[in-house]
Amino acid sequence: MRTRLICTAALAASLLGAAPVGAQPIGAPQMSIIPRTHPGTAFAGLTRLGDTPLTVTLPAGAVPLTVFGAGLYPAQRIARLRAGARITWQPILKPPMPPGPSDWPADGPGWLRTRCVGRCGLGASAHFSAPLAQALAVARAVVEATRGQSVQIAGLGHTYDETRGVGRKLTTRQETDTVITLGAVQIWRGAGLSAARVALGTRAAVVSALGAGDALGDASDAAAQLGALVSALRWWAASAPRGPGVRVQAVSRTWGDDMLEAAAIEDTRALTVEGEAVAGVHLTGRLRDEQSLARRTDGDRPVRTRDADEIALTAGPLRVWVADGVAVRLEGAADAAAALDQLSAAVAAAGLSVTFAQAAVDAPVPVWWATLRP
């Protein structure tokens, strides 16, 4: 039996064709999202629709929409859609002044302001989606903890951008490509910020992760708990002494631009976990975080970002796909509750206990913690 928790598709308007003159609108509503300022990623609830600009088919009714870009204030609205409607939304995303570590909330733990030494990293992410913010915070902490292990700094180089006809000078390039065993992870959330501290080389005794329901499909607590458990199993596999570990690929570039931009910083991070989480449970998780900041001669500071967290898990006949902490698809179970029971049984058979707690997060869908212990 195959069950889909979500079915959304971003369809180009040109493929749909124009309605005949005088015809009454029929069919599912279509929403075109075209930001006026910076591009971003569009979500329905916490379910990713795609990078803007885009045209997407949505169900009729009230749908919570958000367009988000890292380092930008998100644009949000409730779209009230009727059958056959075609609506265009032009959100405005504005860059705020990002807080530095010294400005982080005083009620956070002491390690928020403590510089990591040696095989330790500190990372943070501000994101409207709590599960994705947590994953990005862990990813950035892991990358910072591994920077010194395999880093190459290139000398001055020069490339030519044929599309824009601009000569660019590459000033620095740092690369990290290594496989590490994820160690103890400390996570803190507050004031819209997710922060994580990672210490390598030690076995994690407790692993926690967030998951969310699906605004366009199953918005139940069971779906949120299923996404949280799959996300936690990914980090559990990454910390196992004989597990697959985490493959870390990171590239940071600093550019000097001859004409349009005075400076540009590009940062790409990719974390991959592929292997057996526990006996009989195999998963592939890929976490990508790409950002660029350009400071132009006219004073503008355009921000570009692309990020995604995708996990595919197999446990016998059960298959679950999780994107950004949301369980978006499953096979081998009638619904999210049945899939959660099957996966929890496999976890218990491996000698692990799992507990769930609802997260105190302002979101249009349920958000839950899953915690794994031996």
Side-chain angles (χ1 to χ4, degrees):
M1 179 181 295
R2 175 175 294 186
T3 303
R4 289 181 182 270
L5 296 179
I6 174 176
C7 183
T8 62
L11 301 176
S14 60
L15 298 178
L16 298 173
V21 177
Q24 295 298 320
I26 59 174
Q30 296 172 35
M31 169 69 75
S32 295
I33 304 176
I34 307 172
R36 296 183 185 179
T37 53
H38 303 284
T41 303
F43 294 79
L46 300 185
T47 302
R48 181 186 297 265
L49 300 178
D51 295 330
T52 61
L54 60 77
T55 298
V56 65
T57 300
L58 297 171
V63 179
L65 297 175
T66 302
V67 179
F68 180 86
L72 304 172
Y73 287 120
Q76 297 177 300
R77 67 170 290 184
I78 300 294
R80 305 188 185 280
L81 306 173
R82 56 182 175 79
R86 296 190 178 188
I87 299 175
T88 298
W89 179 31
Q90 294 181 303
I92 298 175
L93 279 69
K94 298 180 179 179
M97 292 298 292
S102 61
D103 299 322
W104 289 355
D107 60 347
W111 54 260
L112 272 177
R113 297 183 179 87
T114 302
R115 182 176 179 271
C116 284
V117 179
R119 294 168 61 82
C120 174
L122 181 65
S125 176
H127 199 286
F128 86 96
S129 166
L132 182 54
Q134 184 193 100
L136 291 174
V138 175
R140 290 169 183 169
V142 170
V143 169
E144 293 308 315
T146 57
R147 282 287 189 194
Q149 295 190 20
S150 176
V151 177
Q152 300 173 359
I153 300 179
L156 293 178
H158 188 269
T159 62
Y160 187 77
D161 188 333
E162 295 182 358
T163 303
R164 295 169 53 190
V166 177
R168 283 182 163 182
K169 190 171 293 184
L170 175 60
T171 55
T172 63
R173 176 188 176 99
Q174 298 184 56
E175 297 183 2
T176 299
D177 190 348
T178 185
V179 177
I180 58 99
T181 298
L182 185 63
V185 179
Q186 296 169 292
I187 296 173
W188 177 84
R189 277 195 56 81
L193 179 77
S194 286
R197 178 169 177 160
V198 172
L200 306 183
T202 57
R203 178 70 168 98
V206 177
V207 172
S208 295
L210 286 166
D214 177 10
L216 295 185
D218 190 346
S220 68
D221 291 332
Q225 293 171 6
L226 179 62
L229 180 53
V230 172
S231 299
L233 282 169
R234 181 258 310 275
W235 297 127
W236 185 265
S239 65
R242 287 180 290 276
V246 184
R247 184 181 182 191
V248 181
Q249 293 176 293
V251 178
S252 295
R253 303 179 182 90
T254 302
W255 299 85
D257 200 314
D258 290 352
M259 292 178 61
L260 297 181
E261 296 170 352
I265 300 172
E266 300 175 356
D267 191 35
T268 300
R269 307 159 188 248
L271 271 60
T272 304
V273 180
E274 185 169 7
E276 195 172 56
V278 296
V281 178
H282 186 278
L283 60 77
T284 300
R286 293 186 175 89
L287 178 58
R288 186 184 72 248
D289 182 12
E290 302 177 10
Q291 298 182 78
S292 67
L293 172 64
R295 182 175 291 116
R296 300 166 63 100
T297 54
D298 58 8
D300 191 16
R301 299 178 64 187
V303 178
R304 299 291 184 270
T305 178
R306 291 175 59 88
D307 49 40
D309 183 21
E310 300 174 345
I311 309 172
L313 178 143
T314 301
L318 177 66
R319 301 188 70 191
V320 182
W321 289 264
V322 172
D324 302 337
V326 178
V328 296
R329 180 184 167 198
L330 65 86
E331 296 178 357
D335 52 29
L340 180 61
D341 289 342
Q342 291 183 39
L343 187 56
S344 297
V347 169
L352 299 179
S353 66
V354 57
T355 56
F356 297 99
Q358 193 157 18
V361 174
D362 183 15
V365 293
V367 180
W368 282 74
W369 286 95
T371 301
L372 287 168
R373 293 181 174 86

